[in-house]
Amino acid sequence: MKPSEDWNEQTPSLAEKALGYTFQNKSLLKQCFTHKSFADNNHEPDNERLEFLGDAVLQLAVSESLYLKEDTDEGSMTETRKRYVSREALTQAAEKAGILKFLRYAGGEDTIGGKTPSNLFEAVVAGIYLDGGMNAARAFLKRYLEESEFCNYKSLLQEYVQERAKRPPEYAIRETEDGYGCTVRALGKEAEGFGKSKKLAEVSAAEKLLKLFNERTE
């Protein structure tokens, strides 16, 4: 949608088709797609409270699914859940569902950058939950939510290290014939990763060092 453009008569049904769910409460559907910038200008409720609830529904649904289908320890399930509910994963889910085009917002494109796609996905999850219950929310998540291919292992590694030391992980990048290599050092250990870009090399190295630490604690 263009900035400040409101829905027409066809928009609700098109949005529901993208979601794969038909709302009984059409006002709730509309609120799911109402950004604060639009709501403030038009004196309508925005979707920020829905985002709050949607985050909790996501955490519960993913936790329940992992508990039922994975015979792994708490630490492993926690790491997997982080990848499912990360901003990257939720952004991918919003794009896969094609719901961003229905967002009602005011201002330029910079208004809906950053966390907006993942926040919208959380709001929609909450709306479906309130309108149709947990089973409807589970069905929606099963359709669109996938484990992120770009889990931020760098953030996970930094969290792990900061719980045990003040000094953050150190990354050393070098060019290779096929891209880049990276050596990461932390807590007296190091690991090496490779990737087509510097970022992917760092992520690969961080993932390997995390696995090394996890092996030591098992």
Side-chain angles (χ1 to χ4, degrees):
M1 294 183 68
K2 297 178 181 179
S4 300
E5 181 182 347
D6 202 354
W7 283 11
N8 58 39
E9 293 182 359
Q10 290 75 39
T11 308
S13 60
L14 292 175
E16 289 175 331
K17 184 177 180 180
L19 298 176
Y21 176 80
T22 301
F23 274 72
Q24 299 179 56
N25 185 341
K26 303 302 182 184
S27 295
L28 180 59
L29 168 66
K30 202 170 188 179
Q31 183 180 351
C32 289
F33 289 94
T34 303
H35 191 268
K36 190 176 189 300
S37 61
F38 188 97
D40 288 346
N41 290 342
N42 294 275
H43 308 291
E44 296 183 29
D46 60 48
N47 62 9
E48 288 190 350
R49 282 167 52 84
L50 289 171
E51 293 168 18
F52 170 79
L53 177 58
D55 176 68
V57 175
L58 270 165
Q59 294 280 344
L60 175 58
V62 173
S63 298
E64 179 187 53
S65 177
L66 293 175
Y67 178 83
L68 293 175
K69 74 179 184 180
E70 290 198 8
D71 186 18
T72 56
D73 58 41
E74 179 186 3
S76 297
M77 288 191 295
T78 298
E79 296 305 319
T80 301
R81 182 178 62 192
K82 286 181 180 179
R83 295 195 292 273
Y84 272 102
V85 301
S86 68
R87 188 199 300 187
E88 293 90 347
L90 301 186
T91 297
Q92 291 172 11
E95 293 174 349
K96 182 179 179 182
I99 57 177
L100 283 169
K101 60 187 175 184
F102 302 112
L103 183 65
R104 307 162 75 217
Y105 69 98
E109 292 292 332
D110 57 334
T111 304
I112 58 170
K115 295 182 179 181
T116 301
S118 57
N119 289 346
L120 174 59
F121 191 81
E122 289 177 338
V124 166
V125 169
I128 293 175
Y129 167 75
L130 291 173
D131 191 75
M134 196 65 183
N135 286 337
R138 288 192 193 98
F140 174 71
L141 293 173
K142 185 176 181 180
R143 186 178 301 112
Y144 292 116
L145 186 62
E146 300 174 359
E147 188 174 357
S148 175
E149 296 178 3
F150 297 99
C151 172
N152 196 345
Y153 286 105
K154 289 183 64 179
S155 295
L156 297 178
L157 176 62
Q158 183 157 328
E159 290 175 8
Y160 181 95
V161 172
Q162 286 182 336
E163 289 176 356
R164 295 160 177 81
K166 293 182 179 179
R167 191 173 182 177
E170 297 178 352
Y171 294 86
I173 292 286
R174 67 184 186 282
E175 290 190 30
T176 66
E177 292 183 359
D178 300 323
Y180 295 89
C182 175
T183 301
V184 60
R185 298 178 178 87
L187 303 179
K189 296 292 181 180
E190 68 177 49
E192 193 170 35
F194 299 90
K196 295 292 185 181
S197 68
K198 293 180 181 180
K199 179 179 179 181
L200 290 177
E202 289 176 340
V203 170
S204 174
E207 179 183 7
K208 291 180 180 178
L209 189 54
L210 269 174
K211 288 182 178 179
L212 179 61
F213 288 142
N214 288 332
E215 289 172 0
R216 290 174 57 193
T217 57
E218 289 178 354

